[in-house]
């Protein structure tokens, strides 16, 4: 399988960047809706439609939902790439549609998507509402789960750029997985084993594309999380977290890796190729950990009470919605030795003097506008000449 070609043939060109809202995906869903496959299943807090796209006639039922966190759009883009594949009339598409029935909620939290927030319009994290079901979006997901009776659930998210994998040679965690626990003991029963074996298949293919950039999430049990609840209800559930790939702040490369793993995992399910996958291979995927900043500047010089101090500082990018545009702004996040942390961008400035437009000492949460040494000015973390 040439996954690079498969992706470029099916990439949904109308979706790009991080800010994906209902108005971006509605026309695409309408194009697919030749025979009522696309339905509005209910409304968000602010009355926006929540769509379900169902396709395939196979006996294995797969429920996938994306953008339950409104600002996590990478897997939504990958889902639409996947929809294009399923509509391509290729042998692979027809195999998938014969083997599976897919029920897809490509944007569970349209209000959060528009506001670019993790939470819904009531400021509730839907992924902590699986038991109380206080929010309309949570109730809808639960009712689809109960009516559709899936054999597998795919819980699709983004993770921040702070996550990495590895010990000596730290790499960004471009994808992280979790087969959520179903009890406090984190036991591995038959259903959880099924999720684990699919993750092993996904990890195997990803290692060909992004070696050592796949992580595994901590499996502490929290029944308020949707994945834990669904696993507790005996449905194998797979959490996918799309993360950072070097330089790809728009996550248009990461979406490709999500597409590839999605297709490969499903192929391995219907070819019954996952039976021999080993639980140890899942447990051997390294834990992801918080070990990255977006920018690190090493060996800056600060004048502090007339003493010169040589230190390091780090910046973190925040995605901010300003006049309906998503802007990447950069703020000071940490100052000090920064032991155990790496930067996606790192500069050794060799004791150049730090100066900004205030007190000439980096302050946490200060917007990153400063100069290092004579005439090297930085705006938003990047050199300006
Ligand atoms: Zn999330």
């Amino acid at each position: 399988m040439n996954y690079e070609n498969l992706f470029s043939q099916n990439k949904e060109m109308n979706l790009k960047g991080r800010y994906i809202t209902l108005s971006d995906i509605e026309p695409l869903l309408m194009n697919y809706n030749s025979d009522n496959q696309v339905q509005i299943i209910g409304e968000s807090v602010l009355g926006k439609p929540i769509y379900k796209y169902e396709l395939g006639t196979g006996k294995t039922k797969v429920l996938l939902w994306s953008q339950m966190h409104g600002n996590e759009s990478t897997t939504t883009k990958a889902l639409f790439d996947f929809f294009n594949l399923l509509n391509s009339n290729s042998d692979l598409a027809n195999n998938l549609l014969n083997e599976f029935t897919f029920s897809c909620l490509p944007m569970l939290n349209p209000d959060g998507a528009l506001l670019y927030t993790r939470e819904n319009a009531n400021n509730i994290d839907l992924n902590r509402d699986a038991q109380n079901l206080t929010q309309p979006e949570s109730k809808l997901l639960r009712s689809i789960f109960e009516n559709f009776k899936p054999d597998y659930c795919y819980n699709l998210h983004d993770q921040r750029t702070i996550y990495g994998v590895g010990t000596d040679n730290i790499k960004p965690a471009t994808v992280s997985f979790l087969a959520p626990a179903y009890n406090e003991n984190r036991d591995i029963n038959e259903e959880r084993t099924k999720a684990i074996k699919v993750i092993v298949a996904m990890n195997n293919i990803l290692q060909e594309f992004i070696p050592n950039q796949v992580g595994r999430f901590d499996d502490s049990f929290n029944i308020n999380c949707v994945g834990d609840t669904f696993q507790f209800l005996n449905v194998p559930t797979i959490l996918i977290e799309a993360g950072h790939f070097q330089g790809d702040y728009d996550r248009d490369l990461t979406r490709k890796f999500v597409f590839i793993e999605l297709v490969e995992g499903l192929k391995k399910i219907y070819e019954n190729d996952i039976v021999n996958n080993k639980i140890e291979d899942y447990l051997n995927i390294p834990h992801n950990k918080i070990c990255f900043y977006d920018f690190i500047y090493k060996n800056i010089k600060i004048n502090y009470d007339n003493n010169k101090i040589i230190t390091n500082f780090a910046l973190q990018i925040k995605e901010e919605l300003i006049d309906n545009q998503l802007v990447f702004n950069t703020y000071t996040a940490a100052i000090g030795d920064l032991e155990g942390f790496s930067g996606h961008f790192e500069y050794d400035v060799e004791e150049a003097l730090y100066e900004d437009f205030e007190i000439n000492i980096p302050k946490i949460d200060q917007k990153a506008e400063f100069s290092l040494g004579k005439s090297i000015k930085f705006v938003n973390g990047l050199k300006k000449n």
Side-chain angles (χ1 to χ4, degrees):
M1 174 79 53
N2 186 328
Y3 275 118
E4 290 285 356
N5 284 348
L6 191 71
F7 174 73
S8 54
Q9 285 156 9
N10 292 293
K11 181 178 179 184
E12 178 49 64
M13 302 304 276
N14 290 301
L15 298 179
K16 52 180 186 282
R18 294 290 283 276
Y19 188 43
I20 305 290
T21 66
L22 204 54
S23 61
D24 297 309
I25 67 165
E26 267 179 329
L28 306 174
L29 287 170
M30 291 310 113
N31 280 342
Y32 291 131
N33 194 25
S34 56
D35 194 21
N36 240 11
Q37 306 96 319
V38 178
Q39 293 184 342
I40 293 174
I41 55 166
E43 287 185 348
S44 65
V45 171
L46 298 181
K48 294 270 195 252
I50 294 171
Y51 288 95
K52 180 186 72 168
Y53 180 24
E54 208 165 289
L55 66 176
T57 54
K59 67 177 193 316
T60 305
K61 292 190 279 185
V62 181
L63 172 62
L64 308 95
W65 66 95
S66 182
Q67 247 169 312
M68 127 184 282
H69 292 143
N71 58 356
E72 298 179 5
S73 58
T74 304
T75 52
T76 304
K77 292 187 288 186
L79 266 189
F80 278 86
D81 304 332
F82 180 61
F83 296 161
N84 284 345
L85 165 65
L86 292 178
N87 281 279
S88 68
N89 205 21
S90 63
D91 288 346
L92 173 60
N94 293 329
N95 285 341
L96 289 166
L97 294 170
N98 288 331
E99 297 287 341
F100 296 101
T101 301
F102 298 103
S103 186
C104 312
L105 312 178
M107 190 175 283
L108 184 63
N109 179 5
D111 299 340
L114 188 64
L115 298 164
Y116 203 75
T117 57
R118 174 182 175 90
E119 295 81 11
N120 75 348
N122 287 333
N123 291 317
I124 300 293
D125 183 339
L126 300 176
N127 205 22
R128 297 294 179 274
D129 193 36
Q131 288 298 311
N132 295 336
L133 298 174
T134 61
Q135 301 303 304
E137 297 90 350
S138 311
K139 288 178 189 146
L140 283 168
L141 176 58
R142 183 59 175 265
S143 76
I144 296 294
F145 174 85
E146 279 168 6
N147 293 327
F148 182 60
K149 298 183 173 45
D151 297 291
Y152 288 95
C153 288
Y154 285 67
N155 185 6
L156 304 171
H157 291 259
D158 271 75
Q159 64 184 356
R160 298 172 57 200
T161 60
I162 57 177
Y163 289 101
V165 274
T167 40
D168 299 331
N169 186 15
I170 304 273
K171 294 274 184 68
T174 303
V175 173
S176 293
F177 290 113
L178 176 67
Y182 69 93
N183 64 6
E184 292 284 352
N185 269 345
R186 311 176 203 188
D187 294 327
I188 296 180
N189 62 358
E190 194 182 329
E191 285 76 25
R192 195 169 175 215
T193 301
K194 282 189 183 175
I196 283 173
K197 288 186 168 186
V198 178
I199 290 173
V200 170
M202 290 173 158
N203 179 51
N204 286 344
I205 192 75
L206 284 184
Q207 291 302 326
E208 295 178 20
F209 291 88
I210 43 171
N212 307 314
Q213 292 192 207
V214 180
R216 180 166 58 93
F217 254 97
D218 177 80
D219 65 351
S220 306
F221 179 61
N222 182 350
I223 192 75
N224 296 312
C225 298
V226 175
D228 302 49
T229 285
F230 287 178
Q231 197 94 263
F232 170 79
L233 295 170
N234 292 319
V235 178
T237 299
I238 296 159
L239 175 78
I240 297 174
E241 298 268 358
H244 184 66
F245 182 83
Q246 291 88 332
D248 181 33
Y249 280 87
D250 280 337
R251 301 213 168 160
D252 282 320
L253 284 169
T254 300
R255 74 190 283 183
K256 176 174 77 178
F257 306 128
V258 175
F259 169 84
I260 290 170
E261 81 201 23
L262 210 52
V263 176
E264 175 77 3
L266 292 165
K267 243 166 68 71
K268 295 295 184 196
I269 293 173
Y270 80 67
E271 290 168 352
N272 205 23
D273 245 11
I274 60 166
V275 285
N276 295 322
N277 286 353
K278 304 248 183 319
I279 292 171
E280 297 81 73
D281 289 343
Y282 171 74
L283 298 174
N284 284 335
I285 300 172
H287 272 297
N288 62 359
K289 56 185 180 184
I290 295 173
C291 58
F292 268 107
Y293 290 107
D294 289 314
F295 298 87
I296 287 182
Y297 303 83
K298 292 187 167 165
N299 300 312
I300 63 162
K301 182 161 69 185
I302 303 169
N303 275 323
Y304 188 77
D305 278 353
N306 287 326
N307 292 318
K308 288 193 183 0
I309 295 174
I310 306 297
T311 187
N312 311 307
F313 79 118
L315 307 177
Q316 198 61 28
I317 292 173
K318 288 184 188 167
E319 305 119 52
E320 296 177 323
L321 199 59
I322 296 171
D323 296 335
N324 299 318
Q325 300 284 327
L326 196 67
V327 181
F328 291 78
N329 283 324
T330 308
Y331 296 86
T332 304
I335 305 145
D337 65 8
L338 308 180
E339 184 70 37
F341 281 86
S342 304
H344 294 301
F345 295 94
E346 279 194 4
Y347 302 88
D348 184 342
V349 301
E350 298 175 340
E351 306 194 0
L353 183 67
Y354 173 93
E355 290 180 295
D356 57 27
F357 307 98
E358 294 185 41
I359 57 169
N360 297 326
I361 297 171
K363 277 190 313 208
I364 303 292
D365 288 335
Q366 173 177 283
K367 208 166 172 189
E369 281 192 36
F370 55 89
S371 62
L372 290 169
K374 283 201 181 77
S375 74
I376 305 174
K377 198 174 167 222
F378 288 78
V379 174
N380 233 354
L382 292 168
K383 258 183 215 173
K384 266 260 166 353
N385 288 318

